[in-house]
Amino acid sequence: MSSFCERSEAEMRLKIAISNQKGGVGKTTTSINLGACLAMSGCRTLVIDIDPQANATSGLGFKPNGDNTIYEALLNEKAEPAMIKNTAVDSLFLLPSNINLTGAEIELIAAENREYKLKNLINSLPADFEFIIIDCPPSLGLLTVNSLTAADSVIIPLQTEYFALEGLRLLLDTIDKIRGSFNPSLEVEGLLFTMYDKRTTLGNQVVQEVIKNYDGNIFKTIIPRNIRLSESPSHGLPVALYDAKSKGSDAYIDLARELI
Ligand code: ATP
Ligand code: MG
């Protein structure tokens, strides 16, 4: 892939939360593969796994049971260099998660500035990441609030199935509330259609319906349902390394191009 990471100083360090409180819509798949495509195009990229399920961690080839994870980093509001892992992709790094993070949601409730833990942590990181991708859990709890407070923008994956729009209003309301309180400049980078099956009319209907009812940004790139995308995490690899010729790989390259 040719290098197309040409971001100016002022644009450096775009922090993007991948969020939707609905489960299984493609947040982690997007975090891993968008992150990998950005990195392969020459942008130093960090994926932060802030989901206790730790799927981005295992999907990038790490056992989700180590110390030195996002859990310790959040509580200390600081990432030690040993916490940042190199991945199989040059220029792609991971701040891993761990099941202990489930406890953080409760432990943080009484903490001062509890909404700003991730933001402070990110400010403690070396300045040379051009993209920081935050893989959010399927909830609107404190970990997601921290993510939306720390982020410049949000990508909202929507599965092209019935009920795709269900819950979107709630997420958009949450984003509005975060703007009004902790992060006035938070933007919606775009809705992203995922798991699109062109053989069914349903997928197309859902896309049309969302376009009709949503007046914000929607990515032109649509992520198809692709078996390679679902297989690659069990090999601990982004799809671009697992099967570079797959439709899934092409789609995430297009998404990275569209984003940059
Ligand atoms: P959770 O809410 O549990 O964190 P999620 O939103 O992160 O889920 P993923 O884990 O990315 O969703 O995807 C859910 C399942 O669908 C996974 O098994 C994944 O491999 C599969 N999947 C995601 N995107 C695609 C796709 N485009 N084609 C085929 N399978 C996909
Ligand atoms: Mg996930």
Side-chain angles (χ1 to χ4, degrees):
M1 200 190 308
S2 65
S3 174
F4 55 84
C5 194
E6 288 168 8
R7 298 174 55 74
S8 72
E9 279 289 307
E11 295 175 321
M12 288 289 260
R13 232 184 190 216
L14 190 59
K15 292 160 281 173
I16 305 173
I18 314 291
S19 185
N20 187 335
Q21 77 277 17
K22 209 163 145 58
V25 298
K27 295 181 288 295
T28 301
T29 304
T30 298
S31 299
I32 292 174
N33 292 298
L34 175 61
C37 289
L38 291 169
M40 289 169 89
S41 69
C43 302
R44 271 176 78 86
T45 300
L46 174 68
V47 172
I48 298 183
D49 187 353
I50 196 165
D51 182 354
Q53 298 180 98
N55 294 148
T57 300
S58 47
L60 283 169
F62 292 86
K63 288 216 167 66
N65 56 7
D67 317 328
N68 272 338
T69 66
I70 181 78
Y71 172 71
E72 292 78 13
L74 269 183
L75 295 185
N76 298 324
E77 297 175 60
K78 189 170 183 294
E80 304 298 337
M83 293 175 175
I84 308 292
K85 310 293 184 196
N86 289 300
T87 72
V89 178
D90 277 347
S91 299
L92 181 67
F93 301 86
L94 170 73
L95 176 48
S97 179
N98 170 314
I99 185 74
N100 291 343
L101 189 59
T102 316
E105 192 113 32
I106 295 156
E107 285 166 49
L108 288 179
I109 284 176
E112 221 175 297
N113 288 328
R114 61 187 179 180
E115 296 87 3
Y116 293 94
K117 298 281 169 185
L118 181 62
K119 185 180 174 120
N120 293 339
L121 184 175
I122 288 175
N123 285 338
S124 83
L125 292 169
D128 57 356
F129 291 113
E130 280 145 307
F131 285 96
I132 296 181
I133 306 287
I134 308 165
D135 183 22
C136 294
S139 81
L140 293 174
L142 198 46
L143 294 171
T144 294
V145 170
N146 263 271
S147 304
L148 297 177
T149 300
D152 300 307
S153 64
V154 198
I155 292 177
I156 304 174
L158 285 186
Q159 195 179 345
T160 46
E161 297 281 339
Y162 267 127
F163 310 124
L165 280 167
E166 187 193 82
L168 179 60
R169 182 43 53 197
L170 185 61
L171 177 55
L172 294 173
D173 286 348
T174 303
I175 290 170
D176 271 343
K177 282 196 193 120
I178 300 276
R179 276 192 196 116
S181 44
F182 313 119
N183 187 3
S185 58
L186 180 63
E187 288 178 27
V188 176
E189 196 73 49
L191 306 188
L192 173 68
F193 294 115
T194 63
M195 298 185 229
Y196 178 74
D197 188 344
K198 67 171 194 266
R199 292 166 306 178
T200 68
T201 48
L202 176 62
N204 215 8
Q205 279 168 8
V206 171
V207 168
Q208 294 313 323
E209 157 129 4
V210 173
I211 290 173
K212 202 169 76 196
N213 288 291
Y214 181 73
D215 56 8
N217 300 336
I218 301 178
F219 283 100
K220 286 198 199 73
T221 305
I222 294 181
I223 309 298
R225 184 171 284 285
N226 177 251
I227 188 83
R228 297 312 210 187
L229 281 171
S230 56
E231 288 169 352
S232 54
S234 65
H235 299 266
L237 293 172
V239 73
L241 293 190
Y242 177 64
D243 185 351
K245 293 198 171 74
S246 61
K247 291 236 160 29
S249 181
D250 288 347
Y252 278 104
I253 291 170
D254 289 346
L255 180 65
R257 288 220 166 93
E258 193 179 342
L259 183 69
I260 296 175

